[in-house]
Amino acid sequence: MSEHISEPARLRGDCARCFGLCCVALPFAASADFAVGKPAGKPCANLGGDHRCGIHAELRQRGFAGCTVYDCLGAGQKVSQVTFGGRDWRRGSGEDARRMFEAFPVVRQLHELLWYLTEALGLAAARPVHADLRAALRKTEELSLGTPEELAALDVAAHRQEVNVLLLRTSELARAGVRGKRKDRRGADLMGARLRGADLRGASLRGAYLIAADLTGADLRDADLIGADLRDADLTGAFFLTQPQLDAARGNARTRLPDSVTRPVHWTAVAVL
């Protein structure tokens, strides 16, 4: 297991070691994010025979912004190279391809949990639950290394709930040191909200809808953003922030970010007034 232990660098998609699974296994509907739709298990029309996107450099211009904000968090290369031992779905049997496409979204969910657990272990305030977090990390890693049959039978929702109890406790510990009233906006509808310069330190924004919200200059230190929809939101720093969430947000050179994520290349160089 140590060979595959999850580290931040390994919880990032590595397309060179994947068989284009996100472009085949996942469905998407024609919308503002995708120029056309396709069902699960059908290769995207832009996917080449080498498992590379034929319009990768022009995805946004061609109407596929949804692809630019997706990251499998390392699940693609794990399913391709570990679960299926490097067997290409194009060259195997139809049954092998079906099992690979079914395994991919399961491992993707487990890798999302690995991301959160890894970040939680980096929070000093969560030290009282570090032992439990490490145990959950090991269990989640082991589950992600299961056989195709084990992955198909796995109750991912139940495991997510088990891990979520720990992450909620982690969030409480991490936000407890914030002075003043800590806002609880879990699941709140904040679409297009004017939150410029807002004091959101220590806020719980789990599952909140922040689509197109103006968070310019807002203080999001120690804010919990698990599951928050940040599409087109102006963003500052927070914790439990994944790369796909960040890629869907708007920012600039002044936007402060945690070390666990990288600044999206499509962000503006300076603030837009």
Side-chain angles (χ1 to χ4, degrees):
M1 176 174 157
S2 60
E3 179 183 354
H4 304 292
I5 194 67
S6 291
E7 301 168 353
R10 293 192 180 185
L11 295 176
R12 298 279 175 83
D14 183 353
C15 297
R17 301 182 61 233
C18 178
F19 299 130
L21 295 185
C22 65
C23 305
V24 187
L26 305 180
F28 51 78
S31 62
D33 292 323
F34 298 100
V36 297
K38 80 166 193 68
K42 179 181 178 180
C44 173
N46 299 312
L47 184 67
D50 59 354
H51 301 298
R52 299 293 177 268
C53 175
I55 61 168
H56 187 268
E58 302 175 317
L59 282 168
R60 287 182 178 275
Q61 300 92 312
R62 301 280 288 272
F64 289 87
C67 297
T68 68
V69 300
Y70 179 81
D71 191 318
C72 71
L73 300 178
Q77 63 261 30
K78 178 173 282 185
V79 172
S80 297
Q81 303 301 331
V82 180
T83 313
F84 285 86
R87 298 197 301 277
D88 186 337
W89 59 267
R90 289 186 190 272
R91 298 187 175 89
S93 66
E95 178 62 17
D96 272 350
R98 183 190 63 79
R99 293 194 306 156
M100 184 176 285
F101 301 155
E102 288 180 350
F104 172 67
V106 174
V107 177
R108 170 56 172 76
Q109 290 190 66
L110 293 173
H111 270 228
E112 183 178 11
L113 294 177
L114 289 173
W115 179 281
Y116 291 139
L117 289 165
T118 300
E119 183 164 356
L121 283 166
L123 298 172
R127 193 172 301 279
V129 292
H130 273 191
D132 291 333
L133 288 168
R134 282 192 290 270
L137 182 72
R138 287 193 296 271
K139 180 178 179 180
T140 305
E141 184 71 46
E142 289 169 358
L143 290 174
S144 76
L145 292 169
T147 65
E149 293 74 23
E150 290 169 338
L151 290 168
L154 179 63
D155 187 342
V156 185
H159 183 64
R160 287 186 73 98
Q161 181 56 37
E162 182 181 321
V163 172
N164 190 50
V165 172
L166 269 178
L167 295 178
L168 279 169
R169 179 58 180 149
T170 297
S171 177
E172 292 167 358
L173 290 168
R175 296 182 295 112
V178 178
R179 294 182 180 180
K181 185 177 181 180
R182 291 174 283 120
K183 298 178 177 65
D184 186 351
R185 305 306 302 273
R186 285 178 290 180
D189 184 351
L190 297 171
M191 291 190 288
R194 298 177 180 177
L195 297 171
R196 181 181 288 257
D199 183 359
L200 295 171
R201 288 174 296 173
S204 176
L205 294 166
R206 283 176 164 242
Y209 296 95
L210 288 156
I211 301 170
D214 184 358
L215 291 164
T216 305
D219 192 341
L220 283 162
R221 285 175 293 174
D222 297 318
D224 184 343
L225 289 175
I226 282 185
D229 192 332
L230 298 169
R231 282 177 290 172
D232 295 325
D234 288 320
L235 185 68
T236 313
F239 67 83
F240 287 155
L241 177 65
T242 65
Q243 192 66 44
Q245 280 179 302
L246 189 64
D247 289 340
R250 286 185 291 118
N252 54 63
R254 297 178 184 175
T255 304
R256 297 186 302 275
L257 300 174
D259 293 336
S260 57
V261 293
T262 57
R263 194 173 304 276
V265 295
H266 65 275
W267 278 14
T268 56
V270 294
V272 177
L273 301 178

